[in-house]
Amino acid sequence: MFKLEPRVEFSPMISFLGPLFSIALTMIFGGILFFFLGVDPVAAIKMIFWDPLMSETFAEYSRPQILIKAAPLILIALGLSLGFKANIWNIGAEGQYIMGAIFGATFALSLYPSESVFIFPAMIIAGIIGGSIWAMIPAMLKVKFKVNEILVSLMLVYVAEQILALASLGFLRNPDGAGFPGSRNLNDYPSASNLELINGTGIHLGVLISLLMVIFFYILLFRHSLGFKIKLIGHSPKAYAFSGDSPNKMVVICLLVSGGLAGLAGLFEVAGPAGQITIDFNVGYGFTAIIVAFLGRLNPVGIFLAGIIMALTYVGGELTQFMLNLPAAAIQVFQGMLLFFLLSFDLFVNYKLKFLKD
Amino acid sequence: MITASDKFLFQCKAISKSFPGVKANEDISLSVEKSQIHALLGENGAGKSTLVKIFYGLLQPDKGEMLLEDFQYQPKNPKNARSSGIGMVFQHFSLFEPLTVLENVLLGLDLQVNKTEVEQNVSKLSEVYGLEIKLSSFIGDLSAGERQRVEIIRALLQEPKLLIMDEPTSVLTPFEAENLFSTLRKLSDNGTSILYISHKLQEIAELCDTATVLRKGEVIGEYDPKLMSPKELGEIMVGQPLTTPNRPETEKRKEKLFSFSAEKVESETQFGVTLKNIDFEVSTSEILGIGGVAGNGQDELMQLLIGERIQNGVFIHFKNNDISQLNPRKRRGLGIAFGPEERLGHAAVSQLSLLENSLVTDPKNKFTDYSGFIKFETLHDYTKGVIEKFNVKTTGVKAVAGSLSGGNLQKFVVGREIEQRPILFIVNQPTWGVDALSATNIRESLVALANKGAGIILISQDLDELLEISNKVAFLSEGTLSKPIDTEEAVISEIGAIMGGLTEKEAI
């Protein structure tokens, strides 16, 4: 028999090494998985982690793709990390992401084909509002009726997906689209388009804002009293109550921020890389961002790095799909492994395993 | 080798036990005679608990040997210890509140036994040792003293030769303590030896035949408590002279500062206490003591005082302002500071640094600027000031609260509030689990604060502390607060009766 004993002393190295070890273990076990799928594991791992950045054939296409995919992950993960630190669990960023996109697109398309310069800024605000409203539902239910926010936020993802289908088949359907589902392409609507700022780099406004948010969140968490309060309530709700604020305030703030940022990410996506509202607009950024938040230790700089790595597995995963014929599900398993190993490693960061003689 | 002797029931020799970074016991030898009530005296952290845990099989010694009667004694676990004839009653009870006394007793027995047989044995024990208890009552409905009786009965059913009692009076009223003493005396008359752990000097003088004093994990010596004054014994225990702070000077008491009044406040939880008829006032430069055994409404009252719970029908006034509806932050802003009983997880957070813990209570918004950014320099200086002034032993402001010993953290938490110069300080159990010297320092700083004009509400279970520094004292019993009486005129027997829930009249 064995038991887990809480560790008395922590080494700061461990929390840094944890993610690295998890990535290494994911490579090993992912490699085994790929081997059994009949693919050369070394080639597959190299294609996921190396080729998107360095390969002569792919890098030109993949590098911008990495930024495009990392930006929403980082943006959403930053927002989620606030709540996760405070033990407020927004699992429904995917839904908030969808709602941000729908709000922004609906606003822009309802004014089509306006050429006003205010369209895009107003869309950004609409996107934030859309995501926030969707996150306010679990927040209010928790505050008023003590309903678990995990369940509500998660279930609202599926509601958002239905609204997405409704939008692409109904109220947002492209009138010139020959009856096909999906909205007008915003890339053909200049005043509503989220353009690349520098051609061929993939850098659009959302990428820049993600970077600025990393800095902003760093300051918020380590220099501002709100960051302290989030830490306080996360460690001890009782001490937080003693300090004098209402826990409900924190529920609202955390869900508002994470919902707003998810909505913002959705808006940048629909106006830029995706271009239009379609039934399959969402590709799981909202869920993957949960992995990114934990992989980055809920630390803004960590989340930035984790977002890049996660985007790498997306882009590399796509490469393996069409180069090595690996199924898409294999890549999802691969990403899941990363979170699994990270969380298991966390257990050993906080506890030590002790074998009992009897 | 230690040799057997007719005189001694239990002997240990050269017991040592270390934990990472701490030598808890160093070369400890001690002998308990048959039928003796032997005190083990020492401050918190002196190594008493470790030692008796070794005796009871909960810990294994690194070195040393033990002898019970004529045999080598090496208990591997408490079950082992019990079957060899050593029983123990812990300070914190391990009873199931929703179950009856009998069910709890049956659950605690190592062997499967006949229920009626146990019933008979229990009633026999109750009779012989004055341990009155109704077998069918639920633990949740019993007082601390009654619960302790259940624990003692449970231990006695195994017919121990040596009974270890760990700080048994810490949860009892003086009246209940007297009952316990007479039970223990009867036990000793009938041949049971008792190892009595305490840091309360008065009761050791009253009860025990001999006292072994531990300090910093080592035996200082064995003394006869009947031949020494409690003060002398205390100085041996602490290792330096002890002073007694004086209570705040009375002539400064003029203005009414604070009043609290509530007719009835229902408990929020099933085993919580419903508060009834609570009424008191505090003036400037006055320490109002609120005594009573824990679990009689202290926590519920403290919650209302802090403002963590805001309840209609509770009327709180501070300097003629109605503050009944204000949250803790707003109350602090008016100049009221709070020191809750639980140091970790309430007053302070173990994973956060002392620096961050200073930020938990920031009554005057000194540590943040107008836009909410933390002023680290101010925070750093303040925290450092608290550490220095209150002699908090720590590696620095960046040390996490969880790394401090209980006493040092308490000094920090109390210091953090006092340094904010509150007009009213409400504090629950400020010296609980704190060593004697630090306790004296904390009491002195409370008195100093009061002498500067602040009012203080001191909730404490320590009667000596209340009588020493408070001007007035009232007692909580089953959620009701007695009328505050002047401590200079108070008589101990009267207080004992009030604590037991009788009115003043009945007591006389």
Side-chain angles (χ1 to χ4, degrees):
Chain A
M1 284 303 290
F2 60 88
K3 69 171 182 178
L4 290 166
E5 265 188 7
R7 274 183 207 272
V8 190
E9 286 164 19
F10 296 89
S11 95
M13 274 303 279
I14 279 188
S15 67
F16 176 73
L17 286 176
L20 291 184
F21 265 111
S22 319
I23 290 170
L25 280 174
T26 308
M27 285 186 184
I28 294 168
F29 283 90
I32 294 172
L33 172 80
F34 297 151
F35 175 78
F36 283 111
L37 287 169
V39 172
D40 175 6
V42 178
I45 300 288
K46 176 172 171 283
M47 196 165 276
I48 294 174
F49 287 101
W50 183 258
D51 286 356
L53 287 170
M54 297 304 174
S55 140
E56 280 172 28
T57 13
F58 308 121
E60 199 181 329
Y61 161 79
S62 327
R63 280 188 200 148
Q65 279 299 311
I66 291 169
L67 288 181
I68 286 170
K69 290 194 158 59
L73 288 175
I74 292 170
L75 212 48
I76 300 170
L78 283 172
L80 293 179
S81 70
L82 281 196
F84 293 170
K85 267 179 186 290
N87 280 331
I88 295 160
W89 304 94
N90 177 5
I91 305 299
E94 184 81 355
Q96 294 138 23
Y97 169 85
I98 294 173
M99 293 312 283
I102 293 179
F103 265 61
T106 308
F107 172 82
L109 291 171
S110 64
L111 295 175
Y112 181 83
S114 161
E115 279 169 24
S116 163
V117 290
F118 296 110
I119 295 273
F120 192 59
M123 277 169 76
I124 291 179
I125 292 166
I128 294 174
I129 290 174
S132 315
I133 287 178
W134 216 239
M136 269 307 94
I137 300 171
M140 284 303 138
L141 287 173
K142 184 170 175 103
V143 168
K144 296 278 177 218
F145 306 109
K146 298 198 188 313
V147 182
N148 185 313
E149 77 279 14
I150 300 178
L151 284 176
V152 179
S153 64
L154 178 62
M155 290 193 292
L156 281 173
V157 172
Y158 305 106
V159 178
E161 282 180 345
Q162 295 307 311
I163 297 176
L164 180 70
L166 182 70
S168 34
L169 295 169
F171 63 90
L172 286 186
R173 181 155 62 178
N174 185 356
D176 307 328
F180 283 105
S183 70
R184 275 184 208 279
N185 197 318
L186 294 172
N187 290 334
D188 304 331
Y189 178 9
S191 53
S193 179
N194 174 23
L195 297 168
E196 257 187 328
L197 298 174
I198 306 164
N199 252 341
T201 56
I203 297 174
H204 57 73
L205 188 62
V207 177
L208 274 189
I209 288 187
S210 304
L211 285 176
L212 288 176
M213 280 294 163
V214 170
I215 300 166
F216 176 80
F217 270 75
Y218 190 88
I219 295 170
L220 179 77
L221 283 176
F222 297 108
R223 290 278 173 267
H224 196 270
S225 54
L226 182 63
F228 171 72
K229 283 176 189 167
I230 285 167
K231 219 166 150 182
L232 186 61
I233 195 173
H235 282 304
S236 165
K238 217 172 158 185
Y240 174 83
F242 176 62
S243 93
D245 289 302
S246 148
N248 290 340
K249 196 166 125 189
M250 214 38 94
V251 171
V252 171
I253 289 177
C254 288
L255 280 161
L256 202 65
V257 170
S258 53
L261 286 182
L264 185 62
L267 180 272
F268 284 129
E269 188 70 16
V270 75
Q276 62 180 144
I277 293 285
T278 53
I279 295 176
D280 54 0
F281 164 73
N282 59 315
V283 291
Y285 286 142
F287 291 120
T288 312
I290 298 171
I291 307 183
V292 171
F294 280 104
L295 194 61
R297 303 266 118 177
L298 306 181
N299 174 308
V301 178
I303 286 172
F304 172 76
L305 296 173
I308 301 279
I309 288 172
M310 227 41 213
L312 198 61
T313 64
Y314 263 113
V315 176
E318 276 172 16
L319 281 183
T320 57
Q321 271 178 57
F322 61 74
M323 296 300 293
L324 304 173
N325 281 327
L326 267 177
I331 294 304
Q332 282 169 12
V333 171
F334 190 74
Q335 289 174 342
M337 270 183 196
L338 193 54
L339 183 65
F340 171 80
F341 283 122
L342 190 77
L343 294 182
S344 344
F345 201 83
D346 260 10
L347 186 73
F348 295 105
V349 170
N350 296 317
Y351 294 89
K352 63 181 168 201
L353 194 62
K354 207 174 167 185
F355 290 95
L356 303 176
K357 280 165 212 157
D358 293 353
Chain B
M1 272 301 287
I2 26 177
T3 45
S5 142
D6 279 349
K7 198 177 159 199
F8 296 118
L9 171 82
F10 174 83
Q11 290 171 275
C12 76
K13 185 148 191 193
I15 296 261
S16 293
K17 174 80 185 172
S18 299
F19 296 107
V22 201
K23 273 187 185 164
N25 287 159
E26 175 103 12
D27 202 18
I28 291 192
S29 302
L30 122 114
S31 308
V32 182
E33 289 175 28
K34 283 172 186 159
S35 296
Q36 188 183 44
I37 305 184
H38 190 123
L40 192 56
L41 179 64
E43 295 210 81
N44 289 293
K48 297 172 301 201
S49 298
T50 307
L51 189 63
V52 294
K53 278 181 185 161
I54 291 172
F55 295 170
Y56 194 53
L58 278 165
L59 292 172
Q60 305 303 321
D62 299 338
K63 266 196 305 209
E65 52 179 340
M66 292 181 274
L67 207 62
L68 184 64
E69 293 190 307
D70 293 341
F71 305 101
Q72 287 288 327
Y73 169 68
Q74 286 174 306
K76 285 193 190 67
N77 51 45
K79 203 172 164 178
N80 233 237
R82 284 194 292 266
S83 60
S84 317
I86 292 191
M88 182 159 171
V89 174
F90 288 91
Q91 188 179 2
H92 301 287
F93 307 139
S94 43
L95 298 171
F96 295 98
E97 293 195 335
L99 300 184
T100 64
V101 171
L102 182 63
E103 285 165 331
N104 268 285
V105 168
L106 287 170
L107 275 172
L109 294 178
D110 293 329
L111 304 166
Q112 281 299 322
V113 276
N114 186 315
K115 197 170 144 189
T116 40
E117 203 179 304
V118 172
E119 274 178 77
Q120 283 168 2
N121 285 342
V122 170
S123 46
K124 210 169 81 192
L125 282 172
S126 309
E127 214 173 291
V128 176
Y129 296 113
L131 295 159
E132 278 164 53
I133 204 87
K134 225 173 115 196
L135 282 171
S136 57
S137 20
F138 288 95
I139 297 293
D141 300 329
L142 299 183
S143 73
E146 290 169 314
R147 290 180 197 204
Q148 191 177 55
R149 272 177 232 160
V150 179
E151 289 274 15
I152 296 175
I153 287 171
R154 200 149 80 166
L156 290 184
L157 278 174
Q158 323 252 3
E159 295 172 0
K161 298 172 193 123
L162 174 66
L163 182 65
I164 303 172
M165 304 282 301
D166 188 8
E167 308 234 352
T169 55
S170 61
V171 292
L172 302 183
T173 64
F175 180 69
E176 286 176 318
E178 271 311 318
N179 278 345
L180 171 71
F181 295 165
S182 77
T183 300
L184 295 180
R185 285 194 194 102
K186 281 179 197 153
L187 273 169
S188 125
D189 290 345
N190 286 357
T192 311
S193 304
I194 293 161
L195 190 59
Y196 188 91
I197 302 161
S198 181
H199 59 251
K200 292 187 187 166
L201 306 157
Q202 210 78 48
E203 63 186 42
I204 284 175
E206 192 179 330
L207 181 72
C208 301
D209 304 317
T210 183
T212 297
V213 178
L214 293 188
R215 197 196 305 151
K216 289 178 184 154
E218 289 177 58
V219 174
I220 299 299
E222 202 177 317
Y223 303 87
D224 186 340
K226 300 225 160 43
L227 298 179
M228 301 171 79
S229 77
K231 189 163 182 255
E232 284 173 296
L233 208 52
E235 286 175 353
I236 293 167
M237 174 173 92
V238 178
Q240 63 187 97
L242 286 173
T243 54
T244 322
N246 296 316
R247 58 172 65 90
E249 297 145 35
T250 327
E251 59 270 25
K252 284 188 189 157
R253 269 188 275 158
K254 296 180 237 166
E255 297 158 54
K256 183 179 136 187
L257 191 62
F258 181 85
S259 72
F260 182 100
S261 144
E263 214 164 274
K264 190 168 184 191
V265 186
E266 291 284 349
S267 154
E268 284 180 313
T269 56
Q270 198 190 345
F271 291 110
V273 178
T274 296
L275 299 175
K276 282 163 297 210
N277 299 325
I278 299 205
D279 239 309
F280 60 85
E281 284 181 5
V282 185
S283 306
T284 51
S285 282
E286 178 180 67
I287 299 184
L288 169 71
I290 295 183
V293 173
N296 274 295
Q298 285 89 343
D299 295 346
E300 289 82 359
L301 178 62
M302 194 66 191
Q303 260 194 322
L304 293 169
L305 288 168
I306 296 175
E308 288 170 335
R309 183 176 170 203
I310 288 170
Q311 192 72 35
N312 289 330
V314 176
F315 304 99
I316 312 174
H317 291 266
F318 178 63
K319 293 170 127 188
N320 298 322
N321 299 317
D322 183 359
I323 62 162
S324 321
Q325 301 294 321
L326 299 186
N327 72 23
R329 184 177 298 281
K330 289 187 181 138
R331 290 184 193 192
R332 264 190 211 107
L334 296 173
I336 310 177
F338 311 98
E341 178 186 3
E342 237 182 296
R343 294 180 280 252
L344 282 180
H346 194 181
V349 181
S350 68
Q351 299 96 329
L352 299 183
S353 68
L354 294 181
L355 210 57
E356 290 170 303
N357 273 301
S358 293
L359 201 53
V360 173
T361 59
D362 180 13
K364 289 162 194 149
N365 287 323
K366 267 197 266 191
F367 306 137
T368 49
D369 65 14
Y370 61 93
S371 50
F373 283 96
I374 299 166
K375 293 195 270 186
F376 281 99
E377 216 166 292
T378 320
L379 187 61
H380 186 276
D381 293 347
Y382 182 82
T383 310
K384 214 171 148 209
V386 171
I387 291 173
E388 278 164 11
K389 263 207 180 126
F390 286 82
N391 195 17
V392 180
K393 286 193 194 83
T394 171
T395 51
V397 295
K398 295 224 167 100
V400 292
S403 70
L404 269 67
S405 73
N408 276 306
L409 187 58
Q410 185 68 7
K411 284 192 272 185
F412 177 78
V413 171
V414 170
R416 173 184 83 185
E417 302 304 326
I418 288 182
E419 278 301 283
Q420 297 279 6
R421 310 248 166 273
I423 304 168
L424 176 72
F425 187 27
I426 303 173
V427 62
N428 189 4
Q429 298 273 38
T431 59
W432 189 83
V434 173
D435 59 88
L437 201 61
S438 307
T440 307
N441 289 341
I442 288 173
R443 282 178 205 138
E444 274 169 353
S445 58
L446 291 177
V447 172
L449 186 68
N451 275 331
K452 281 184 198 139
I456 290 171
I457 299 172
L458 168 64
I459 303 176
S460 176
Q461 286 186 63
D462 186 338
L463 195 55
D464 299 333
E465 171 172 282
L466 292 172
L467 296 179
E468 196 174 292
I469 64 169
S470 59
N471 303 102
K472 281 185 188 163
V473 66
F475 293 92
L476 266 176
S477 171
E478 288 169 15
T480 308
L481 190 71
S482 69
K483 210 171 133 266
I485 50 173
D486 215 307
T487 37
E488 273 154 281
E489 295 158 15
V491 187
I492 283 279
S493 61
E494 193 184 334
I495 286 171
I498 298 170
M499 283 177 84
L502 304 167
T503 65
E504 280 162 83
K505 244 189 189 153
E506 283 170 283
I508 303 160

